[in-house]
Amino acid sequence: MARKLTQRKTAGKHVTKATLPDGLLNPAPVPYKVADTSITALQVYHNPDRRPSGDGPWNNEADKVSWIDNETGLGCIMLRQKNGTISGYVGVNPEHPLFGYEADAVPVGVSNTVHGGVTYGKACEVNRFERRAHGKPRLERYTVCHTTWVRTVQDYRTVQTTEDEFHEDLWWLGFDTDHPGDLVPGGRYGEGRKGDVYRDQSFVYENCIELARKLKSLIEDGQAGDTPIREPLGLPAPAERKGE
């Protein structure tokens, strides 16, 4: 009898642990403060293995944040890299004129919108790779991909996870913040050379928004035929957290 009870407890713990992907903090959209504003974040992750050591401007930052830009309706992601810097990404659907463009093929007028230019152009990682890597489940907290629009709209109570059969076919364009003059916490020079600047989430967020607007303008200018871009989600306005 004792053995059966132990098995039940173990199974229960396994189920409980699986309700949230590793590192995910929110089971539903939440307000997230960044750059003197508040966005409705679909996913907020902490990746302890990528967080810079010691105190710094990164203390109160999450390590992956995904959201839908209300003005353009485009999906955006901020993701901390192994060197401690944060990169930004904006996703476009197959009807967009830059869908499928690799980073070095993105027009200069678009690339120059962001810090250091566009350095990333790839399909959603869940679509590019098997969901298992080296025999282990892929960790969503590192992927450049986020939840489907339909799933988010239909059920706020559903855990926001890309471990899902229903993904949009998105192409992600992104940029880095480890260029000359940028402080790279995990780089060769440790906390950086004199004069280096840490590009925080507010900086990355503002660049993401500018890139999203530029990408949306390509549709509005008629460069993508008659197919309109997807409308924004219409998520409710972020509410202040209790106690803030």
Side-chain angles (χ1 to χ4, degrees):
M1 180 65 70
R3 187 176 181 180
K4 291 183 178 179
L5 289 176
T6 301
Q7 289 178 338
R8 288 177 182 174
K9 287 182 178 180
T10 301
K13 288 181 180 179
H14 177 73
V15 171
T16 300
K17 184 177 180 180
T19 56
L20 287 177
D22 187 23
L24 182 63
L25 299 182
N26 62 307
V30 294
Y32 187 84
K33 290 185 177 180
V34 61
D36 297 323
T37 189
S38 181
I39 60 176
T40 300
L42 302 183
Q43 295 174 321
V44 180
Y45 276 88
H46 277 314
N47 300 334
D49 56 315
R50 292 190 175 186
R51 182 169 295 274
S53 60
D55 291 332
W58 46 79
N59 283 357
N60 297 318
E61 294 180 335
D63 301 305
K64 177 182 177 182
V65 181
S66 67
W67 75 100
I68 304 296
D69 175 44
N70 285 332
E71 181 176 330
T72 64
L74 298 179
C76 302
I77 291 176
M78 295 186 287
L79 177 65
R80 193 177 304 281
Q81 304 299 314
K82 292 180 180 179
N83 62 12
T85 62
I86 305 173
S87 297
Y89 308 88
V90 178
V92 296
N93 63 25
E95 288 73 35
H96 194 277
L98 295 186
F99 184 91
Y101 275 55
E102 295 186 356
D104 58 3
V106 174
V108 173
V110 176
S111 183
N112 287 347
T113 303
V114 294
H115 177 71
V118 171
T119 57
Y120 184 97
K122 295 181 181 179
C124 172
E125 288 191 315
V126 170
N127 291 338
R128 283 196 295 133
F129 300 121
E130 292 289 337
R131 289 193 176 85
R132 300 183 69 84
H134 305 294
K136 299 179 180 179
R138 287 186 55 77
L139 294 177
E140 182 188 341
R141 61 185 180 177
Y142 304 129
T143 60
V144 181
C145 177
H146 65 64
T147 56
T148 163
W149 301 60
V150 175
R151 183 66 171 273
T152 303
V153 170
Q154 288 180 342
D155 192 353
Y156 270 23
R157 297 169 297 174
T158 300
V159 172
Q160 306 304 306
T161 170
T162 54
E163 293 293 335
D164 194 325
E165 294 297 326
F166 306 98
H167 289 284
E168 285 190 294
D169 189 11
L170 295 181
W171 186 266
W172 294 92
L173 298 172
F175 59 95
D176 303 316
T177 59
D178 58 358
H179 303 284
D182 294 340
L183 190 154
V184 181
R188 178 179 177 184
Y189 299 100
E191 295 184 357
R193 293 172 169 177
K194 184 177 181 180
D196 284 355
V197 178
Y198 176 69
R199 308 300 179 179
D200 62 10
Q201 277 193 346
S202 293
F203 179 87
V204 175
Y205 168 79
E206 290 170 350
N207 275 258
C208 280
I209 297 306
E210 287 302 314
L211 179 57
R213 290 172 179 168
K214 188 68 175 182
L215 293 172
K216 177 68 178 290
S217 73
L218 299 183
I219 297 289
E220 295 174 338
D221 291 342
Q223 297 184 37
D226 297 327
T227 304
I229 203 164
R230 196 183 295 262
E231 291 300 319
L233 276 176
L235 292 172
E240 293 294 326
R241 290 185 180 136
K242 293 181 180 180
E244 293 184 349

